[in-house]
Amino acid sequence: MHYTLMHKEISVVDIELDDASGAITRVGDVHNAAHIPIGIAYRNDVLDRKALNKWWYGRSIPASRQGIQQALAILRIGSTQELIDKSYGLSLSDQYWIKEKGSSLEWAEINFFTNDFSRDIGDILFGGHSSSAKIDLMSPDNTSDGWLRKKWTIIDGKRCLIKGGSGVTQQEPYNEVIASELMEKLNIPHVPYRIIMQGDYPYSVCEDFIDADTELISADYIMKSQKKANHLTTYQHYLNCCAAFGISNAQQAVDQMIVIDYLLANTDRHYNNFGAIRNANSLEWIGSAPIYDSGTSLWCNTPTKLIRPLASDLPSKPFKETHEEQLKLVSSFDWVNFEALQHFGNRVCEIFAESPYLDSERCVCLSSALDQRIERLEGLVLTMNHEQHHSPKIEEEFEIKPVSYTHLTLPTI
């Protein structure tokens, strides 16, 4: 089938899609190079079809999503990729879509930001069935990522994402609420979450922080905008790419994200769940995205008796393999108000106590664990400040370089 990849009402590039696989088999004329998705190479009038295909496939529901095989069976569809073009590739994260050649369809008529959408796909993904005899595939759920069960809905006129938990603890939704309150105390830009119960299960709910005039660009595609030099770390490469785009608050946003992920023991901050926001009309960058998607944290997949709050080898992402190594990248901790975090564990215990899946032992253990990590971080910052204060003065004629804390070794248990 012949389509044009659109960016709102702007024609970007002509493409051909394979009917069976949904893959882009051919790239045709480029109509507006400025609106090509970020991170897709376009050199010497040639658009990288392989990269565009990867971007296109990335819009589909991952095969690892909970309940996806049962949903595909109900829909009588072979793969999640086949769902993308059923709703024109529309998303609630950006403004890209595909328009069939010869069609008079307009973005204003079909986008999910200002138009209603079907709940059928979301209901089926949650293990239910369509309320109508004919399943309506016009849904932003066709282009939602992540492995946890989730669906989009409209609540009081606002586009909201509902996301479930996993395993015997169903802990992830409560983790999102805890992360929200923790960031609120530290004045960190974030997406607020709340809990709803559907049936016997808890779900987190958050409003879409993207609207009809903005779009989220993941760190992954920001970093693909430039070739990484071999001598650069991925951390420095990301900051360099942000600087090239003029995203002025990237360093501060990364500092805040690293600290929050340390405190929460987040093990899944990959390059697709943080990034920046730009204006979809002017293509001007607005700034780093608020922190979102912090559910895979607080030892949600670890049995209570195996939780070690101060373990130095706790795995992290995206820049270093452990949280303790990643903390060394933070340029400043001056913004961390430890006084505001005193006894925060009490609030953690209150939130977890609302869950029918968490016993009192686990609630107390997790609240104590977070308090211990707050205390540990405060001790580390005091050590850093002491060493910096007592370091030899640098004469003015020498270049003053950013302070590095890579020489510090954190205590282990």
Side-chain angles (χ1 to χ4, degrees):
M1 294 285 289
H2 297 265
Y3 295 90
T4 298
L5 178 65
M6 307 288 294
H7 195 210
K8 297 189 76 169
E9 302 295 2
I10 295 174
S11 299
V12 181
V13 58
D14 294 333
I15 59 174
E16 289 184 22
L17 292 180
D18 180 71
D19 292 339
S21 65
I24 298 174
T25 57
R26 181 179 174 274
V27 172
D29 293 336
V30 173
H31 302 289
N32 193 315
H35 288 261
I36 292 171
I38 294 291
I40 310 300
Y42 179 60
R43 300 185 183 90
N44 301 319
D45 295 329
V46 177
L47 184 64
D48 188 335
R49 183 178 67 88
K50 182 178 179 181
L52 187 64
N53 238 327
K54 186 174 181 180
W55 172 85
W56 180 248
Y57 272 127
R59 298 175 80 76
S60 64
I61 302 171
S64 59
R65 172 77 60 82
Q66 292 178 1
I68 190 60
Q69 295 308 316
Q70 298 92 318
L72 291 176
I74 293 172
L75 296 170
R76 297 182 180 179
I77 290 177
S79 69
T80 58
Q81 285 79 22
E82 294 180 46
L83 281 171
I84 311 179
D85 66 331
K86 306 299 182 184
S87 54
Y88 306 102
L90 287 162
S91 168
L92 279 170
S93 295
D94 64 29
Q95 318 303 333
Y96 287 98
W97 62 290
I98 54 172
K99 183 176 182 177
E100 190 173 351
K101 278 292 186 180
S103 172
S104 60
L105 201 60
E106 300 292 340
W107 179 84
E109 300 174 53
I110 60 172
N111 78 85
F112 296 135
F113 294 97
T114 58
N115 295 285
D116 200 1
F117 50 80
S118 168
R119 311 300 193 276
D120 291 349
I121 298 296
D123 291 342
I124 291 171
L125 288 171
F126 270 48
H129 297 277
S130 170
S131 58
S132 59
K134 184 178 180 181
I135 297 174
D136 186 349
L137 300 179
M138 272 296 290
S139 168
D141 295 317
N142 295 345
T143 53
S144 62
D145 62 359
W147 67 277
L148 286 172
R149 187 174 279 118
K150 63 178 65 174
K151 65 178 179 180
W152 286 100
T153 191
I154 300 176
I155 302 175
D156 297 330
K158 298 176 180 178
R159 276 63 186 160
C160 296
L161 184 65
I162 299 176
K163 187 166 61 172
S166 67
V168 296
T169 64
Q170 296 289 306
Q171 190 179 310
E172 289 91 344
Y174 296 95
N175 290 349
E176 297 283 18
V177 174
I178 290 167
S180 296
E181 294 200 13
L182 184 65
M183 288 184 277
E184 184 70 24
K185 286 185 173 295
L186 292 175
N187 295 314
I188 294 175
H190 66 283
V191 176
Y193 288 79
R194 59 186 176 88
I195 297 289
I196 62 170
M197 296 294 295
Q198 290 191 354
D200 295 327
Y201 292 94
Y203 295 90
S204 64
V205 181
C206 68
E207 293 180 20
D208 193 0
F209 59 91
I210 297 300
D211 59 31
D213 295 312
T214 60
E215 55 194 3
L216 172 67
I217 311 296
S218 71
D220 183 33
Y221 277 95
I222 289 174
M223 291 191 295
K224 284 175 177 162
S225 65
Q226 297 183 17
K227 182 177 176 58
K228 187 179 84 69
N230 291 333
H231 70 281
L232 287 180
T233 63
T234 54
Y235 166 80
Q236 191 59 55
H237 178 61
Y238 176 67
L239 292 183
N240 288 353
C241 290
C242 287
F245 282 129
I247 306 172
S248 58
N249 66 337
Q251 175 74 73
Q252 180 185 19
V254 169
D255 283 356
Q256 292 172 337
M257 182 182 74
I258 289 174
V259 168
I260 284 298
D261 286 345
Y262 170 81
L263 294 176
L264 294 170
N266 189 350
T267 58
D268 197 34
R269 182 68 66 194
H270 52 77
Y271 292 114
N272 283 313
N273 65 8
F274 73 101
I277 300 174
R278 72 170 181 175
N279 185 295
N281 306 307
S282 66
L283 304 184
E284 294 180 357
W285 291 87
I286 296 171
S288 294
I291 296 178
Y292 62 98
D293 199 3
S294 303
T296 310
S297 57
L298 292 174
W299 302 271
C300 60
N301 296 313
T302 303
T304 303
K305 295 186 183 302
L306 296 182
I307 292 174
R308 295 186 299 142
L310 302 183
S312 61
D313 59 349
L314 188 69
S316 71
K317 294 177 183 176
F319 302 117
K320 296 290 183 179
E321 293 184 356
T322 69
H323 283 286
E324 306 222 341
E325 285 297 312
Q326 199 157 251
L327 269 183
K328 298 172 185 177
L329 298 174
V330 176
S331 62
S332 172
F333 293 93
D334 292 345
W335 54 274
V336 183
N337 182 0
F338 287 103
E339 186 174 344
L341 300 182
Q342 286 187 1
H343 310 299
F344 185 71
N346 292 338
R347 179 57 185 149
V348 171
C349 204
E350 290 176 358
I351 293 170
F352 279 141
E354 297 175 2
S355 170
Y357 293 89
L358 301 173
D359 58 32
S360 59
E361 181 187 3
R362 186 170 181 85
C363 293
V364 171
C365 177
L366 291 172
S367 63
S368 173
L370 184 49
D371 272 344
Q372 288 180 61
R373 291 184 76 78
I374 292 171
E375 184 179 354
R376 171 87 169 257
L377 179 64
E378 185 173 16
L380 171 63
V381 172
L382 287 173
T383 300
M384 291 178 179
N385 290 340
H386 180 269
E387 292 199 3
Q388 183 179 1
H389 180 73
H390 289 84
S391 61
K393 292 184 178 180
I394 302 175
E395 297 298 328
E396 291 185 359
E397 62 264 29
F398 292 101
E399 178 186 4
I400 300 179
K401 297 182 179 180
V403 176
S404 171
Y405 298 115
T406 55
H407 63 284
L408 289 177
T409 302
L410 302 177
T412 59
I413 61 170

